[in-house]
Amino acid sequence: MRVLMIVKATAETEAGVMPTTEQVEEMGVFNNELIAAGVLVDGAGLHPSSKGARLGFKNGKRVITDGPFAETKELIGGYWVLNVKDWDEALMWLSKVPRPDFKDGDVDCAIELRRFFEPEDFAGIASEEIIEQEIGWREDQLAKAPKA
């Protein structure tokens, strides 16, 4: 089961405030645990939305808008993609994420956990051919992921 741990952006991360040396070291220890357990597929911090762009659609046309974006609570500051055996293991890793010191008003930075849709979830919607193609593509991507 693949899951995404989403680090929510805060006013500080959107302002470009970098983590402290201690935070980077704590994150390194955590990332090394994920690698040693063989569950880390990918992970990274993201630059503020001021360095990004957003694609929208208006009246059937594509509209690209440069950042920054106003609603910080809807933005992502970083992420991990994990490949775990089940939801309980995903929750276990979520509970081990080092506590960031960033705050957004009165709320500490939040980390959200979400499952990826897998090709099998589309049985009855997509053809078997498309499902098999997706399974092969995902297996290729996982084979390329870092190994412990």
Side-chain angles (χ1 to χ4, degrees):
M1 164 192 302
R2 292 176 311 131
V3 296
L4 178 65
M5 291 195 302
I6 305 164
V7 180
K8 299 291 190 142
T10 67
E12 289 175 300
T13 61
E14 276 297 289
V17 175
M18 295 296 285
T20 65
T21 300
E22 293 79 21
Q23 288 171 315
V24 171
E25 289 172 358
E26 285 180 27
M27 202 57 65
V29 169
F30 179 65
N31 289 339
N32 285 334
E33 285 182 50
L34 294 170
I35 292 166
V39 298
L40 183 64
V41 176
D42 191 22
L46 301 175
H47 281 275
S49 68
S50 61
K51 296 182 178 183
R54 183 177 282 168
L55 172 65
F57 295 88
K58 186 169 185 171
N59 298 323
K61 297 188 188 232
R62 289 175 170 81
V63 178
I64 296 178
T65 306
D66 291 331
F69 307 113
E71 288 295 322
T72 301
K73 66 183 178 183
E74 296 177 7
L75 299 175
I76 297 172
Y79 68 93
W80 290 274
V81 177
L82 305 181
N83 189 25
V84 295
K85 68 178 185 263
D86 56 31
W87 187 249
D88 287 337
E89 183 181 7
L91 290 171
M92 183 272 299
W93 286 113
L94 178 66
S95 72
K96 290 184 170 197
V97 173
R99 185 186 71 79
D101 288 336
F102 294 126
K103 293 192 180 284
D104 191 16
D106 293 333
V107 180
D108 285 350
C109 177
I111 315 240
E112 183 177 331
L113 181 65
R114 305 271 300 271
R115 285 183 62 180
F116 280 86
F117 276 108
E118 298 296 346
E120 299 83 1
D121 294 327
F122 293 93
I125 299 170
S127 70
E128 281 298 314
E129 180 180 86
I130 289 174
I131 291 172
E132 290 302 317
Q133 179 182 346
E134 283 290 314
I135 290 170
W137 179 81
R138 304 245 172 133
E139 287 172 351
D140 287 348
Q141 294 304 309
L142 289 173
K144 294 176 186 174
K147 301 288 185 241

